[in-house]
Amino acid sequence: MLSAKSLFQEILDNDESFRLFCSIAAAGESQGGWENARIAALVPEESRALVPKIVRHGADEDKHGRIFNALLRKRGLRPVGVPRETDYTMLLERRGIGLAHQRLSREERLSERDVITYLAHSRVTEQRASEQMRLLSRHFADHPELGRAVRMISNDEDNHLAYCHEELLRLAEAGHGRTIQRVLRACALAEIRVYRDVGLAVMSRMGGILGWSRARSAALAAGIHAVYAYERLGGWRRMVSLEPPARRDALGGPAVPSPEYA
């Protein structure tokens, strides 16, 4: 029977599929760490109060990248190159979502609109990350190899999502509500398409490694398309709503160290 748990267990049990999974995850998290570090260095004067939180966000992303690489090392595996069609972050950038790497590479201050773009992009993508890590945590929180990593990353992603809600609500109260909703909607509609495309690409790669039958691959692809249909019809709205988070000032302190993975 196909289920999220059985599917991931199959990926986990095979060194090559696990290697690809962790490599994709580590590359994406490390990329997020670089982006947040550049944003922290370039925020405009009126947004300087955000800098410690952006730095903390980036430090968490770097930590997650180290965790995935440490999981590979524990098995004696080395990372592999990330196939272009599975690069979630860069595919979003190509759709004009978030702040482009070319923009972040320049020594030029961001605008307040850029900060809104960053936070809206993060609110959408952290929603996805939080949901994915909660799913893994539900099934693998007690796993001897993955459990601690899954619990730690899941908690961090929930903190990141709470931070985005809180800061976007603050900006909405300052008069940017319509801009925020417009940017959030564009981000969400682009993200669900990229998530579908990356999901199909990753499953195709996994199927080749694990020797899935055409019928099984077709069933998994149909499931990915069904999720996209649901999200396109209205599921995307969960990514654009804003409400005061239960976790207040979630990124207000220093990053939690992870010496066991560093």
Side-chain angles (χ1 to χ4, degrees), residues 108 139 240 260:
E108 178 185 328
H139 296 305
V240 304
E260 68 274 26

Side-chain angles (χ1 to χ4, degrees), residues 27-91:
E29 296 287 357
S30 297
Q31 204 168 139
W34 178 85
E35 290 172 1
N36 277 276
R38 290 303 301 154
I39 291 166
L42 299 174
V43 293
E45 194 60 40
E46 61 268 28
S47 301
R48 297 301 293 172
L50 273 179
V51 169
K53 296 180 181 182
I54 300 172
V55 169
R56 164 75 184 275
H57 190 180
D60 284 346
E61 302 287 0
D62 282 335
K63 177 180 70 177
H64 300 168
R66 294 195 303 273
I67 288 173
F68 284 113
N69 281 318
L71 290 171
L72 287 173
R73 288 196 301 273
K74 285 182 178 179
R75 283 210 194 176
L77 302 172
R78 295 178 63 83
V80 295
V82 176
R84 294 175 66 117
E85 69 272 19
T86 69
D87 193 333
Y88 173 81
T89 302
M90 292 310 296
L91 289 172

Side-chain angles (χ1 to χ4, degrees), residues 13 87 208 217:
D13 289 343
D87 193 333
S217 295

Side-chain angles (χ1 to χ4, degrees), residues 187-234:
C187 284
L189 291 175
E191 193 279 341
I192 63 173
R193 290 192 294 273
V194 169
Y195 181 70
R196 175 201 61 191
D197 294 345
V198 168
L200 291 170
V202 170
M203 286 301 105
S204 176
R205 294 270 179 170
M206 293 299 180
I209 293 170
L210 297 169
W212 290 341
S213 67
R214 292 179 66 182
R216 186 172 197 201
S217 295
L220 288 168
I224 292 169
H225 283 294
V227 169
Y228 173 71
Y230 157 74
E231 294 192 328
R232 188 66 184 85
L233 287 171

